[in-house]
Amino acid sequence: MHSPIIWHSFFFLLFSILACAFAVAVVVTTNIVRMAFFLVVSLGSTAGLFFLAGADMVGAMQLMIYVGGTLVLLIFGVMLTAQQPFVSMHTPSGEWILAAIVGGSLLAVLLQVAWSVDAWTQGPPLPEAAYTREGTQGNASEALAHDPRFAPSQTATQLGFGLLGERVDQLSVKDPESRAGMSGYLLPFEIVSVHLLVVLVGAAYLARARYRASE
Amino acid sequence: MEQVDQLASLVPLLLGGAWLLPLASFTLIFLFGPKMGRHGRLAAYVATGAILGSFVLSITSFTMWLAQHGVTGAPTHASHDAESQQAAAEKSRAFLLEPSTFDPAANHFTSVAYRTDDHHEEAGDDADHLQNDHHGHGTGTSDHGHAAHQAPEKVVYTGSWYPLYRSKTLLIDIGYYIDILTVSIFCMVTLIASCIHFYSIGYMHEELTDELVDNECKLPDGTSLRRRGRFHRFFQYLSLFCFSMLGLVIAGNVAMVFVFWELVGICSYLLIGFYRERHSASTAANKAFIVNRVGDFGMIIGLMALWGSLGTFAFGDVDGRPGVFTLVTQAPGGIPNGMVRLAAYDQIEAGVQPTDEQLAIWREQHLGYGLLIVAGLGIFCGCVGKSAQFPLHVWLPDAMEGPTPVSALIHAATMVAAGVYLVGRFYPVFSPEVLLVIAYIGAITLFLAATIAIAATDIKRVLAYSTVSQLGYMMLALGVGGWLAGLFHLVTHAFFKALLFLCSGSVIHACHTNEMPLMGGLRKKMPWTAYTMLVGCLAISGAGIPFVIGFSGYYSKDAIIAQVLSFSRANPAHAPLYWVAAGGAAITAFYMFRLWFMTFAGKPRDTHIYEHAHESPKVMYVPLVILAIFATGVAWRVPGTNLSLANLIEDGRPVTSMTDGVFWSSLRIPNEHLSHSDVGIHTTATLVAFGTALSGFLLALLFYGTRTLNAEEVQQQFPRIHRFLINRWYIDDLYWAIFVRPTHFIAQRVAAFDRQRIDWFIDSTARWVRGLSRLDDLIDRYVVDGFVNLLATWTYGIGLSLRRVQTGRLRQYVMFIAVGTVALFVLASFLWSYAMAGS
Amino acid sequence: MNLLTQPVGVSHYLVVGAVLFVCGVVCMATKRNALGVLMGIELVLNGANLNFIAFGSHVLNRAGARTLGLDGQLIALFVIVLAAAEAAIALAITLNYYNNQATVDVDHADELRG
């Protein structure tokens, strides 16, 4: 059986390695400025993973809000507080070891859970034509073009309607049991927007310029 | 006619305003007194302004009244129509000789048109009214005393402002009963009160300080008391006093009278006890209050008799409900049906129907008459207390402890006048027997007080006893049928007694002593005071040129003596009343001029006091002058008109009054008009009054003016009489022995019983309770508290141990979370496999 | 087992999410700088987000399998928004803390200890 390289998997590997490696780098580095940089790369790679999973809208959001907004905020914080004693702060080695043990065990548990469901371990197979050596090049590429992995996914419209209370993605579901509870997200959307407003006001209040209490 | 209607609503409005203004002032000063200017100085202006406003309102309504109704009163001795006097004399003699022609039932029930707010249609017979006026003018003198003469209608406005309580049997409301008497008394009270307010501004100026040294109040360590000035407080009380007095005058029912009666009592209590730190002042205030309580007790009995039998307290008709006067005057024989029915209660219970015929039979048997007497005597009891009549007169001299303007207000215009006023107002209800009691009480008071005044040396006490004596005159006059005479004297006396008190206050203000033996010759130092006081003395003595002109007291005292003479002629058994009245006139003149000579004439007896004496400020002597003018001329007739005080009061005369005794059938109250119209009585009375007053004056002149006779020698010659008088007839000692000592004795016994028996019982109970509670305390402390404390200790211990976990270190918490998560996973997987194994 | 030739499934994503999550937890547990702790939180949230996306993706599941569908993406969106809010407020708190205490060391912020 012919096993072609699946580029989708390739990019997944690339991005996942980048994300994991830079996440570990964030943990390991003691310099706060570098940590911020590593975090940017890690989160950007995660956005790539989102694209690969067919969530183009969320991926875009990840790039814009996280990498473009949140991290800028973080870097502002870093710059504002980056005085010499705080740039790199050392943690006692004992705590490192303790954290490594706890983190390792947690990781072990999580990995075990991740691999414990058989249906999850394998992704959907490629179309049959992709696996036949005999298949013409054109056939294979045509078959692959219809594979969802390679087809452009357009979820922005569906997400937009979902936030407005309409689930256009569920129209095709005939089974009423499956459709139960599939109403939209208008109320959460409103709550989140108000929440965001309150948070911004609160942040502005907390961070406003003020003399120290001691003065 | 429309004007009449307007007046019927306007006069109550004006007088109501005049009544409520002092209340407003009281409230203002009560709330903001201390903040009114420095030391509350503005309070005086507020109070004075209020009473001035009242005066203006009163005068306005008085003027409107005159403009509307005119003066219809019968001309008194001002009449010079000899012919008509002659005719009247003949007729009255005929009446006296033939009493059988005198039909009481026919005489005393003339129609009355009450003008109430709600019965305007009755005002329709205004034309008749005017005609009656004419009638009264032309033939007034000749008609009076006639058996069935047609009396002019009496104008009365009655009504209710605010009903307080309404039931089938009783209506109590804030109402009014306004006739010309009410209006006149309003003017009198507000005028005198205004003068006294002005005077007080000067007199009380010592109170305008933060620290006042009261030299008459010694503290236990020998120093004088120091206290804050109470200027505003004084005016606050004055305002309340005026409000109460005006309410008493305007009151439309006896219940309201009673309320304001008590308010007046409270005010006098507060004002007499104004220098409350002084023991004598607080005792005097208590005495006044307690003695008045005795009289008020009788008054409550009278009120109950009225309510129980008549079911109304109102004087006049209100809202169609007949008032006391209507019920009494329209019942044959003066006994209302209600009283007859109550008296025949057991017969009605037995089944006798109280039909009209049956009531008439009962009335023939004089059933209910006793109740009428009880009601009359009860009401009079209250008046005895308020007007300081004989058994209850003891409080008045002691009331001199208050500031002098208060003495003037109490003794002239207000409190003591209230009793006389009420007797006059309630006149139709008094049966002849009650009137006789009133006359005798008045006579005793008059004589007793006058004799005590001779011996007294305290200037204010002389005036106080003089007041008691003059009140006795008024009561005597009312009791012998002299309704006009009594109330006439009330008004004139108000003016000259206020004048006298304010003068004495001026003297005390200058000399800082009350003792007349320490004064003398003061007229050079304080001429205004001396000569205004001389006017007062002349007025109270009844000085005047007989038959021509005189001071106000001349007219009123003449009227009284004439009526007493008329009475004693009709009832020869009661001639002593006449002798007392005539003798009293002499004594009055004597003690008044004794006072004046001792104070103002002769040589100074205490040079120190004389040196320091000075005339009072203008704000004090201007009221004196005003009052002196009124004391001189208030009784004069306005030339060319019919307007005189006597005629005004005559207009307010009750439509009827009872004349013939029932239980004492020989008793006869003569019609008052006789005393004016009968030349014999009138002339005799005038000459007697003049002669006695002159003799009294001459005696005083000889003793104290020229010093021809020596008063000390007379004293030494009759030491017992002198001691008797100095000790005020031993009445206070008598009361002390009869009432106070036994009360103290009983109180001590009761106190001892209380201490020894009741206290012992309560103490032992308390001891038991204490033992029990100690036990309870132990249980509470060791069992209940122990349990609770144990729980708390455990909780505390657990909390302490858990406290260590709460390190406050963020990163440690994260570790806890992570470890917890892992532990949960491990635990869940264990349980899972266990459950799988189990199944 | 060649990862390159194998189609990617949900488990792969879960593994990456787990790694990110654990990195975040360890980061929170070891960093003394308050901003470092904040970065750890971001990592944790991203790991969780990755799981939501994976569970909702039609790319990673076989055809016809029941997935979270669009709900996964929507929840991921909310998480991003909340993370942004949280970052803003946490930064404000940190700045405030820095203003008052002149330090960003979380070990010094133990005034609430028992």
Side-chain angles (χ1 to χ4, degrees), chain B residues 334-365:
Chain B
I335 312 170
N337 286 345
M339 286 193 175
V340 180
R341 238 181 257 127
L342 195 61
Y345 182 70
D346 36 356
Q347 292 192 43
I348 294 174
E349 282 286 284
V352 183
Q353 284 299 315
T355 56
D356 286 351
E357 294 81 28
Q358 187 61 40
L359 285 176
I361 294 169
W362 281 335
R363 194 170 275 130
E364 282 296 308
Q365 296 165 353

Side-chain angles (χ1 to χ4, degrees), chain B residues 165-200:
Chain B
Y165 171 79
R166 192 191 291 269
S167 77
K168 216 188 288 178
T169 54
L170 182 63
L171 167 72
I172 298 180
D173 57 359
I174 297 179
Y176 53 85
Y177 180 93
I178 297 173
D179 58 4
I180 183 66
L181 178 67
T182 313
V183 183
S184 308
I185 299 271
F186 250 76
C187 292
M188 182 269 277
V189 169
T190 48
L191 173 61
I192 291 178
S194 302
C195 289
I196 288 167
H197 273 72
F198 275 114
Y199 181 89
S200 303

Side-chain angles (χ1 to χ4, degrees), chain A residues 85-119:
Chain A
F86 307 133
V87 171
S88 55
M89 299 168 85
H90 289 280
T91 313
S93 307
E95 290 189 18
W96 272 116
I97 293 164
L98 203 62
I101 292 171
V102 172
S105 54
L106 189 59
L107 186 66
V109 168
L110 289 177
L111 290 181
Q112 195 207 336
V113 170
W115 285 105
S116 59
V117 178
D118 287 336

Side-chain angles (χ1 to χ4, degrees), chain A residues 55-77:
Chain A
D56 56 341
M57 176 70 182
V58 179
M61 284 297 127
Q62 170 88 357
L63 278 181
M64 283 199 293
I65 297 179
Y66 251 119
V67 185
T70 310
L71 277 171
V72 169
L73 255 181
L74 263 179
I75 288 165
F76 263 112

